[in-house]
Amino acid sequence: MAGGKAARAPREDNPTGAARGEPPVRLGPLADFIGFHLRLAQEASFRAFAQRVGDPKLKPSRFAMLTLIHENPGITQTALSRASGRDKSTLTAALDDLVQRGLVLREKDAGDRRSYRLHLTAKGRRVLARLTEKAREHDLKLDRIVGPDRKREFLRLLARIATELE
Amino acid sequence: MAGGKAARAPREDNPTGAARGEPPVRLGPLADFIGFHLRLAQEASFRAFAQRVGDPKLKPSRFAMLTLIHENPGITQTALSRASGRDKSTLTAALDDLVQRGLVLREKDAGDRRSYRLHLTAKGRRVLARLTEKAREHDLKLDRIVGPDRKREFLRLLARIATELE
DNA sequence: TATTGTTATACTCTATAACTATA
DNA sequence: TATAGTTATAGAGTATAACAATA
């Protein structure tokens, strides 16, 4: 992780993290683009989450999958793929992994035998509980950065970007 | 693009984009996590940018590279890799491509002959100008979603997340 | 004919480690 | 010894297209 972690940004006026001693890098118009800062914030959040969880196989996307299955027991792979915005073909390998680790159960639908119904196993629920706890801690840190009074507004704006841009 | 574009989200109360007619998917705790919405917003922004630009090789990361080179003429690859938060090895291929397309010039540093100094070519500047224009249009749309009065605050929060999380 | 899920395949992005050429 | 950049290699994530089973 040594090389890639160079994205550290020691202070506000040096957001892209030029190393100590060097002249700071100019951002030009990037400095005012929401999209650019969205990317930096998302990457930072992603890395912080991964680091907190530890398991390199349980990234935010896997956490989201487990949550979606837990919250929508019996969801089909196609529905899950739509909900997570990925093609169904990309789910096969991820689910294979989750099933093999004993976290998810695939069972044939009795009515429509083309479909699988997805559920969490008891172990899956335990792992999800732990992950959710980690995610809560992680998000608490984000809350503190944003400020508790601004959180709802901030969430609303992010959600609007996601929905109105597609 | 048909399959993967299923991530559309037709209305606010159905943020993950379950298809028409189907019961909406429950998000559970994800609904309140900043990290989750950060990811959705970033992906939506990324896709919208790519679609607006057209050229599948000129994604936001390439745009950022070109801008950073333009704003910091003569920057070395290592400095650029730090500024963009990626390992230097990942830059080789991207720069090869940009050089081959005639957008970027790699020239040996006279003083330290291990280093390259990066510059944009005239064509590179033209392409960057076009990209910047597209990026401005794209970001204007984001501005409108966020609201002009809230933009500075929103940018500040995103930047704080990126800097304080690492 | 259409849909569910899988497979084959390919492309991109990223990282680590080992290498070279310099310093 | 240390640094700049390249190469070799690997892994994750994504997509499209073709396919088998089922509807």
Side-chain angles (χ1 to χ4, degrees):
Chain A
M1 188 168 270
K5 283 299 281 153
R8 308 191 67 263
R11 53 189 84 267
E12 278 248 346
D13 40 289
N14 187 9
T16 48
R20 34 324 37 139
E22 293 178 16
V25 170
R26 298 181 43 168
L27 296 182
L30 293 179
D32 290 320
F33 284 151
I34 289 176
F36 179 71
H37 290 283
L38 217 37
R39 180 159 70 99
L40 293 183
Q42 198 270 328
E43 286 176 356
S45 167
F46 188 100
R47 289 182 185 186
F49 180 87
Q51 191 173 359
R52 187 181 291 273
V53 168
D55 187 334
K57 288 287 236 166
L58 292 178
K59 304 236 176 69
S61 65
R62 297 295 170 89
F63 168 58
M65 283 176 64
L66 290 174
T67 302
L68 290 172
I69 295 172
H70 182 64
E71 295 288 330
N72 305 274
I75 190 173
T76 65
Q77 294 188 194
T78 299
L80 180 59
S81 91
R82 271 195 294 265
S84 39
R86 310 261 128 76
D87 189 84
K88 57 190 163 71
S89 72
T90 69
L91 256 60
T92 304
L95 284 170
D96 283 351
D97 176 59
L98 294 174
V99 167
Q100 198 202 316
R101 292 157 71 113
L103 308 182
V104 168
L105 225 68
R106 261 184 187 125
E107 56 178 29
K108 281 271 188 218
D109 185 317
D112 184 341
R113 304 202 342 152
R114 294 170 302 181
S115 297
Y116 284 112
R117 295 293 174 171
L118 302 172
H119 299 271
L120 294 192
T121 63
K123 184 180 175 193
R125 285 188 291 273
R126 281 198 304 277
V127 167
L128 176 59
R130 186 179 70 79
L131 276 179
T132 304
E133 177 55 27
K134 295 287 184 189
R136 262 189 230 292
E137 293 167 16
H138 169 63
D139 225 67
L140 217 70
K141 200 166 172 184
L142 287 174
D143 288 0
R144 263 182 263 116
I145 292 172
V146 170
D149 44 323
R150 283 183 290 255
K151 176 178 183 181
R152 296 249 53 96
E153 168 87 341
F154 189 63
L155 272 184
R156 195 179 62 80
L157 292 179
L158 290 175
R160 284 191 63 193
I161 289 175
T163 53
E164 296 193 21
L165 223 46
E166 307 257 5
Chain B
M1 185 169 273
K5 282 300 282 154
R8 307 190 69 262
R11 52 189 87 267
E12 278 248 345
D13 39 289
N14 188 11
T16 48
R20 37 320 37 143
E22 292 178 16
V25 171
R26 297 182 43 168
L27 296 182
L30 293 179
D32 291 320
F33 284 149
I34 289 176
F36 179 71
H37 290 283
L38 218 35
R39 182 159 69 98
L40 294 184
Q42 198 271 327
E43 287 177 355
S45 166
F46 189 100
R47 290 183 185 188
F49 180 87
Q51 191 174 358
R52 186 181 292 272
V53 169
D55 188 333
K57 290 287 237 169
L58 292 178
K59 304 238 176 65
S61 65
R62 296 294 170 90
F63 168 58
M65 284 175 63
L66 290 174
T67 302
L68 289 171
I69 295 171
H70 182 64
E71 294 288 330
N72 305 273
I75 191 173
T76 66
Q77 294 190 193
T78 300
L80 180 59
S81 90
R82 272 196 294 265
S84 40
R86 309 261 128 76
D87 189 84
K88 56 189 162 70
S89 71
T90 69
L91 256 62
T92 304
L95 283 171
D96 282 351
D97 175 59
L98 294 174
V99 167
Q100 198 202 314
R101 293 156 70 112
L103 308 183
V104 168
L105 225 68
R106 262 184 188 124
E107 56 178 28
K108 281 271 188 218
D109 184 318
D112 184 341
R113 305 204 341 154
R114 294 170 302 181
S115 297
Y116 285 113
R117 297 291 174 172
L118 302 172
H119 299 270
L120 294 193
T121 63
K123 182 179 175 192
R125 283 188 291 274
R126 280 198 306 275
V127 168
L128 175 59
R130 187 180 68 81
L131 276 178
T132 304
E133 177 55 27
K134 295 287 183 188
R136 261 189 229 292
E137 294 167 15
H138 169 64
D139 225 67
L140 218 70
K141 200 165 171 183
L142 287 175
D143 288 0
R144 264 182 262 116
I145 293 172
V146 169
D149 44 323
R150 283 183 291 256
K151 177 177 183 181
R152 297 251 49 100
E153 169 86 341
F154 189 63
L155 271 185
R156 195 179 62 81
L157 292 179
L158 289 175
R160 284 192 63 192
I161 289 175
T163 53
E164 295 193 21
L165 223 48
E166 307 259 3

